Amino acid sequence: MKKIIIRKADITSLDVDAIVNAANKSLLGGGGVDGAIHRAAGPGLLKECRTLKGCKTGEAKITGGYRLPAKHVIHAVGPVWKGGNNNEEKLLASAYRNSLQLALNEKLKSIAFPNISTGIYGFPKEKAAEIALREVKSFLEEHTEINEIIFSIFDEENYNIYKNLTG
Ligand code: AR6
């Protein structure tokens, strides 16, 4: 557990090996945390994203960090919540797992996550937090190379949920 850190923070301010973006399938930017990351990184990020040709839901792709303090951005596409019977939970779990696998492949040691899918995409926050924590914990147990996972939390509701779940 000591490798998992819960922080109230704007993810664009974090000096880590990679921040994860809650992107959409186009990977060409949007609102929420995606918009904030693109604004802070500058136009080089969008230029590189255009070369990636999008990304499937539940998967992730990596780019440079450009003007961000973070060295890389891992663009993960979470599911849109459509009531819960459309594989949403599995797809959210894979978005976290695939992001961590990419970080591992690139030998990254510190990774910060936003609360994927819990904003515009409408995934219930408590359920999303349980999935995120479960996936991150089991990945860290299997892969000791990763030093630190930060949950960079923006809203009070998510912050309280994570604090309660991690004691
Ligand atoms: N730092 C950390 N977390 C943030 C920040 C920030 N600067 N800004 C917002 N959040 P959302 P989604 C939190 O809507 O639900 C975009 O248009 C926010 O409080 O950004 O996965 C994409 O292009 C919430 O808890 O992402 C997609 O089309 C969390 O980030 C779509 O939104 C995720 O909220 C993705 O929707």
Side-chain angles (χ1 to χ4, degrees), residues 93-124:
S94 356
Y96 278 94
R97 254 197 330 275
N98 285 323
S99 298
L100 290 163
Q101 189 59 51
L102 262 182
L104 189 72
N105 296 348
E106 300 291 326
K107 301 191 167 31
L108 308 183
K109 306 281 184 197
S110 55
I111 303 111
F113 280 96
N115 305 128
I116 301 171
S117 285
T118 68
I120 295 164
Y121 280 0
F123 204 108

Side-chain angles (χ1 to χ4, degrees), residues 2-161:
K2 68 179 193 307
K3 288 182 161 189
I4 298 178
I5 298 163
I6 313 297
R7 273 185 68 178
K8 196 98 184 279
D10 178 344
I11 203 164
T12 64
S13 70
L14 300 182
D15 184 1
V16 285
D17 290 338
I19 60 170
V20 176
N21 183 13
N24 59 59
K25 288 190 281 184
S26 78
L27 298 185
L28 299 179
V33 69
D34 194 6
I37 289 173
H38 275 273
R39 275 194 301 281
L45 180 61
L46 181 59
K47 204 172 165 207
E48 184 175 357
C49 282
R50 286 192 199 285
T51 69
L52 300 176
K53 310 271 177 253
C55 181
K56 292 187 186 137
T57 303
E59 296 184 6
K61 292 189 178 178
I62 189 166
T63 64
Y66 298 87
R67 295 178 192 155
L68 290 163
K71 294 182 192 71
H72 301 273
V73 179
I74 294 173
H75 305 264
V77 183
V80 178
W81 181 261
K82 294 177 186 159
N85 293 319
N86 293 278
N87 232 9
E88 290 97 329
E89 296 189 26
K90 281 200 174 128
L91 289 167
L92 185 65
S94 356
Y96 278 94
R97 254 197 330 275
N98 285 323
S99 298
L100 290 163
Q101 189 59 51
L102 262 182
L104 189 72
N105 296 348
E106 300 291 326
K107 301 191 167 31
L108 308 183
K109 306 281 184 197
S110 55
I111 303 111
F113 280 96
N115 305 128
I116 301 171
S117 285
T118 68
I120 295 164
Y121 280 0
F123 204 108
K125 290 180 179 178
E126 180 100 27
K127 206 185 282 289
E130 284 166 9
I131 293 167
L133 283 164
R134 183 191 71 212
E135 292 305 324
V136 165
K137 276 184 205 166
S138 73
F139 200 90
L140 286 177
E141 276 164 20
E142 285 167 40
H143 306 284
T144 51
E145 305 92 306
I146 294 177
N147 289 340
E148 184 176 89
I149 304 290
I150 300 168
F151 284 100
S152 176
I153 303 184
F154 212 54
D155 63 283
E156 198 66 32
E157 196 186 345
N158 264 320
Y159 186 73
N160 291 333
I161 290 170

